[in-house]
Amino acid sequence: MTVDPTKPYDDQNIFAKILRGEIPNNTVYEDAYALAFHDINPQADLHILVIPKGPYVSWDDFSEKASDEEIAGFVRAVGKVARDKGMVVRGYRWLSNVGRNAGQEVAHLHVHLFGGGPLGPMLSK
Ligand code: AMP
């Protein structure tokens, strides 16, 4: 079932449970604004998810409602994870699905970081 990004935040989503420590994760980075962990079903040689600590359904919700401090902290964290994991020299992709057309499955904003090798075309029809 895909996410309706116009609905209010539901703290029973799986990433909220990960943030509360109720479900384990393979953490690669954590700070006051973000948690980064390996995707459980990787779609590239290196596939990391970065999520904000705050309760935001999607990029749409976050970009509208998060404070400047949260936005800056989160964006810095995404960049740091990519650098720290050695993804910059060979290149990587940042992707965030919003809602039905994009196939968003988890109703807590997450940025996918893909890297570790060639990623192919951005989209295939
Ligand atoms: P999206 O389709 O953009 O909502 O992506 C959701 C992503 O979350 C998928 O790539 C899943 O493989 C990933 N995922 C779901 N549950 C977990 C989990 N418990 N730990 C790590 N990644 C997960």
Side-chain angles (χ1 to χ4, degrees):
M1 183 106 143
T2 53
V3 169
D4 178 348
T6 66
K7 290 253 174 77
Y9 186 80
D10 174 1
D11 71 2
Q12 292 308 303
N13 75 77
I14 196 154
F15 292 168
K17 292 179 180 176
I18 285 177
L19 281 172
R20 291 195 295 268
E22 296 167 10
I23 290 178
N25 73 93
N26 191 352
T27 299
V28 299
Y29 178 77
E30 182 168 17
D31 65 19
Y33 304 101
L35 175 68
F37 51 92
H38 288 281
D39 195 291
I40 204 167
N41 183 25
Q43 304 295 312
D45 291 344
L46 188 54
H47 183 177
I48 295 169
L49 299 173
V50 191
I51 67 175
K53 291 274 175 90
Y56 301 101
V57 175
S58 70
W59 165 250
D60 178 67
D61 192 26
F62 184 72
S63 61
E64 183 185 14
K65 295 179 191 148
S67 67
D68 290 356
E69 182 182 342
E70 287 175 296
I71 291 171
F74 181 67
V75 171
R76 295 256 189 227
V78 176
K80 179 170 172 50
V81 169
R83 278 191 302 280
D84 288 356
K85 297 303 283 183
M87 299 170 91
V88 176
V89 172
R90 292 168 69 198
Y92 68 97
R93 183 170 293 153
W94 151 320
L95 182 152
S96 188
N97 292 314
V98 180
R100 188 179 59 228
N101 279 355
Q104 183 184 359
E105 289 176 352
V106 180
H108 183 111
L109 168 60
H110 46 287
V111 165
H112 296 260
L113 289 178
F114 300 107
L119 297 168
M122 190 163 62
L123 292 174
S124 57
K125 276 202 156 189

